[in-house]
């Protein structure tokens, strides 16, 4: 029903269906009160119960206030959430990304961002192995789960591909430092035999 409207019994104004949240229990499938009145009523009920209520922050149409960062952002900066009354997540995408990183560090490694940043600062932001590339990947022992340090992508994947096995790494070092068994190419078609 395009252009259909309904009167809110609380404010007495006739508003479009878009101004009412959905409620499948109602005959018309919409809440009784319009969104602003429903929010005000909810806040009054919470105060009456003795609960603390955050002040309501008004945002222009097409924008929403993020309580986490305190900014009013356009709807494009929010993830969708079908169950929410406005169809948007409770936190903006940027805040959700930060929370996701923090949660990942805590769940996967049992460390905080501050602890990770401290490990990075120990080596001036460089990988603990090559001391060249930026340290971005938390490295841990897959058997014990203990965090060993923060490495660059290449070093982290290299020790992972060698199975985190010190013996394999020692053989790799020996191989790199040892003599080549084949002749060394000096120029096109010119070889030097190992001595």
């Amino acid at each position: 029903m395009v252009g259909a409207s309904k009167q809110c019994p609380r404010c007495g104004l006739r508003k479009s269906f878009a101004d009412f949240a959905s409620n499948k229990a109602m005959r018309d499938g919409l809440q009784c009160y319009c969104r602003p009145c429903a929010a005000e009523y909810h806040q009054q009920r919470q105060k009456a119960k003795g609960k603390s209520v955050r002040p309501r922050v008004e945002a222009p149409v097409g924008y929403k206030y993020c309580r986490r960062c305190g900014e009013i952002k356009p709807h494009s900066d929010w993830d969708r959430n079908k169950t929410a009354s406005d169809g948007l997540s409770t936190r903006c995408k940027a805040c959700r990304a930060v929370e996701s990183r923090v949660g990942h560090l805590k769940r996967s490694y049992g460390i905080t961002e501050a602890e990770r940043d401290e490990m990075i600062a120990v080596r001036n932001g460089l990988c603990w192995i090559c001391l060249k590339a930026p340290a971005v990947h938390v490295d841990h022992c897959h058997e014990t789960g203990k965090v060993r340090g923060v490495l660059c992508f290449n070093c982290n994947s290299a020790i992972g591909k060698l199975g985190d096995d010190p013996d394999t790494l020692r053989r790799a070092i020996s191989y790199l430092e040892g003599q080549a068994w084949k002749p060394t190419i000096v120029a096109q078609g010119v070889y030097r035999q190992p001595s």
Side-chain angles (χ1 to χ4, degrees):
M1 289 192 257
V2 177
S5 63
K6 172 180 175 171
Q7 185 169 353
C8 173
R10 192 166 174 85
C11 65
L13 298 174
R14 189 165 249 341
K15 298 183 175 183
S16 73
F17 281 178
D19 292 324
F20 293 83
S22 65
N23 183 347
K24 292 180 182 175
M26 300 296 285
R27 187 177 304 158
D28 61 1
L30 301 171
Q31 290 279 5
C32 184
Y33 300 144
C34 64
R35 289 178 196 271
C37 289
E40 183 183 323
Y41 176 72
H42 174 72
Q43 288 197 344
Q44 287 175 351
R45 294 284 298 146
Q46 294 303 311
K47 285 179 186 174
K49 292 178 185 175
K51 295 183 178 179
S52 67
V53 177
R54 293 180 289 218
R56 194 158 168 74
V57 178
E58 293 298 323
V61 175
Y63 288 79
K64 182 175 176 175
Y65 174 73
C66 177
R67 294 193 186 281
R68 172 69 64 177
C69 63
E71 295 180 26
I72 295 175
K73 297 182 176 183
H75 286 171
S76 60
D77 288 352
W78 298 78
D79 289 318
R80 299 279 173 219
N81 180 356
K82 288 192 298 187
T83 60
S85 62
D86 62 357
L88 299 171
S89 175
T90 55
R91 295 168 318 282
C92 67
K93 288 179 181 178
C95 290
R96 285 180 56 129
V98 168
E99 287 175 9
S100 178
R101 280 193 300 273
V102 169
H104 170 72
L105 285 173
K106 198 66 177 165
R107 278 188 318 274
S108 300
Y109 309 115
I111 62 172
T112 64
E113 274 190 300
E115 291 170 323
R116 184 214 44 212
D117 293 343
E118 187 180 323
M119 285 190 291
I120 291 172
V122 166
R123 302 276 195 228
N124 298 322
L126 297 176
C127 172
W128 285 35
I129 293 176
C130 70
L131 301 175
K132 295 176 187 170
V136 291
H137 293 277
V138 175
D139 177 48
H140 70 289
C141 175
H142 291 267
E143 288 181 18
T144 64
K146 289 184 180 179
V147 173
R148 294 185 285 222
V150 186
L151 308 176
C152 69
F153 173 79
N154 287 338
C155 292
N156 191 39
S157 61
I159 64 172
K161 288 178 181 176
L162 292 173
D164 288 358
D165 181 18
D167 292 331
T168 305
L169 287 167
R170 283 187 203 92
R171 285 192 300 275
I173 292 167
S174 240
Y175 172 79
L176 288 173
E177 291 176 343
Q179 293 286 328
W181 67 273
K182 288 188 175 181
T184 305
I185 300 174
V186 176
Q188 186 72 30
V190 180
Y191 300 95
R192 184 175 60 232
Q193 293 295 326
S195 47

